[in-house]
């Protein structure tokens, strides 16, 4: 019964996507008359022929892919590097409380769009892929999530690894990261979706058409 409920819920989440696919394969008159449900009406692939034959579409698609790959890698590098030391006790990392206050403050308050735009402009990053990647390089909410995940790794494993002769980097790469791969994988997906769906960033920082991402282009 539980699996049936979950399956029905999953299928219900797919219905809007199926409707979008049906609309994309339907004639414009049927779409305008709101006659399209889960199955195409007046089937046509004209839209796809026009879209896939447009060189700007492929160019913008490549920019989006490049941005997602670079952005996700940078996000995960900084998120993991920051979350691991902050997950340790105050005894092992004395400045932990100071950094945690800074992290929480940064999550709750920000300068807004105009100061951020001014910073990006002063750094001469406007109209480059770095203007889309660097301002969001450290997603604070993801850092806090991963801190709690790292806290779930028993301290006894650290002590055992240290007795076996592992350095801090050895413990980090050979003990902690393999145990946290589930949480890291979840954040990779979250980061991927967030970066891919971003519309406001390209709208604000990109001016030339050849630099625009797929969503904006």
């Amino acid at each position: 019964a539980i699996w049936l409920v979950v399956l029905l819920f999953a299928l219900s989440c797919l219905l809007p996507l199926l409707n979008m696919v049906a609309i994309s394969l339907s004639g414009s008159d049927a779409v305008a008359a709101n006659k399209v449900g889960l199955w195409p009406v007046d089937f046509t692939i004209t839209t796809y022929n026009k879209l896939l034959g447009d060189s700007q579409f492929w160019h913008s698609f490549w920019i989006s892919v490049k941005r997602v790959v670079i952005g996700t890698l940078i996000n995960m590098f900084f998120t993991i590097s920051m979350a691991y030391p902050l997950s340790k006790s105050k005894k092992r990392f004395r400045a932990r409380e100071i950094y945690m206050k800074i992290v929480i403050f940064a999550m709750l308050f920000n300068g807004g769009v105009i100061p951020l735009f001014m910073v990006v402009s002063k750094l001469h990053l406007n109209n480059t892929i770095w203007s889309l990647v660097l301002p969001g390089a450290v997603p604070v909410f993801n850092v806090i999530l991963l801190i709690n995940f790292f806290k779930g790794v028993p301290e006894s494993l650290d002590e055992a690894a240290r007795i076996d002769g592992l350095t801090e980097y050895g413990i980090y790469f050979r003990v902690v990261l393999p145990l946290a791969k589930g949480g890291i994988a979840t954040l990779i997906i979250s980061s991927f979706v967030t970066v891919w769906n971003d519309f406001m960033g390209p709208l604000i920082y990109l001016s030339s058409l050849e630099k625009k991402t797929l969503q904006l282009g």
Side-chain angles (χ1 to χ4, degrees):
I2 294 173
W3 278 105
L4 181 61
V5 171
V6 172
L7 178 63
L8 291 174
F9 180 75
L11 290 175
S12 70
C13 293
L14 290 175
L15 292 179
L17 299 178
L18 293 175
N19 176 247
M20 290 174 64
V21 173
I23 287 174
S24 71
L25 294 170
S26 300
S28 57
D29 293 337
V31 175
N34 200 25
K35 294 180 179 179
V36 184
L38 301 179
W39 197 255
V41 179
D42 300 332
F43 181 83
T44 178
I45 58 172
T46 303
T47 306
Y48 286 92
N49 288 334
K50 183 178 180 180
L51 183 66
L52 298 178
D54 185 358
S55 60
Q56 181 59 42
F57 167 81
W58 292 108
H59 183 69
S60 296
F61 180 80
W62 165 242
I63 291 174
S64 285
V65 170
K66 185 166 64 172
R67 186 219 172 170
V68 164
V69 171
I70 296 173
T72 302
L73 288 175
I74 289 177
N75 279 358
M76 294 313 302
F77 174 78
F78 284 113
T79 299
I80 297 171
S81 300
M82 189 173 185
Y84 177 66
L86 290 177
S87 67
K88 298 304 176 185
S89 64
K90 191 176 179 181
K91 181 180 177 181
R92 290 190 60 192
F93 183 27
R94 294 182 180 179
R96 179 186 182 277
E97 296 302 320
I98 298 174
Y99 282 103
M100 279 303 301
K101 288 177 181 177
I102 294 173
V103 167
I104 293 172
F105 184 86
M107 185 177 71
L108 297 177
F109 304 99
N110 63 76
V113 176
I114 294 176
L116 183 58
F117 180 81
M118 292 172 64
V119 171
V120 172
S121 298
K122 291 291 184 181
L123 294 174
H124 306 291
L125 296 176
N126 273 348
N127 209 31
T128 68
I129 194 169
W130 299 110
S131 65
L132 307 178
V133 171
L134 295 182
V138 186
V140 179
F141 183 71
N142 288 359
V143 171
I144 293 175
L145 286 179
L146 202 56
I147 287 172
N148 293 321
F149 203 92
F150 282 143
K151 282 183 177 179
V153 178
E155 286 285 342
S156 58
L157 289 178
D158 280 19
E159 294 170 3
R162 198 169 288 108
I163 292 171
D164 286 339
L166 285 182
T167 62
E168 286 293 340
Y169 285 104
I171 296 171
Y172 176 62
F173 285 108
R174 298 177 63 181
V175 177
V176 177
L177 290 187
L179 290 174
K181 59 186 178 183
I184 293 172
T186 302
L187 291 184
I188 288 175
I189 295 172
S190 172
S191 180
F192 178 93
V193 172
T194 301
V195 174
W196 177 266
N197 286 337
D198 183 30
F199 180 79
M200 285 302 296
L203 182 65
I204 294 170
Y205 301 121
L206 303 181
S207 55
S208 56
L209 181 60
E210 62 271 14
K211 297 290 182 65
K212 291 185 177 179
T213 58
L214 181 62
Q215 291 77 5
L216 191 62

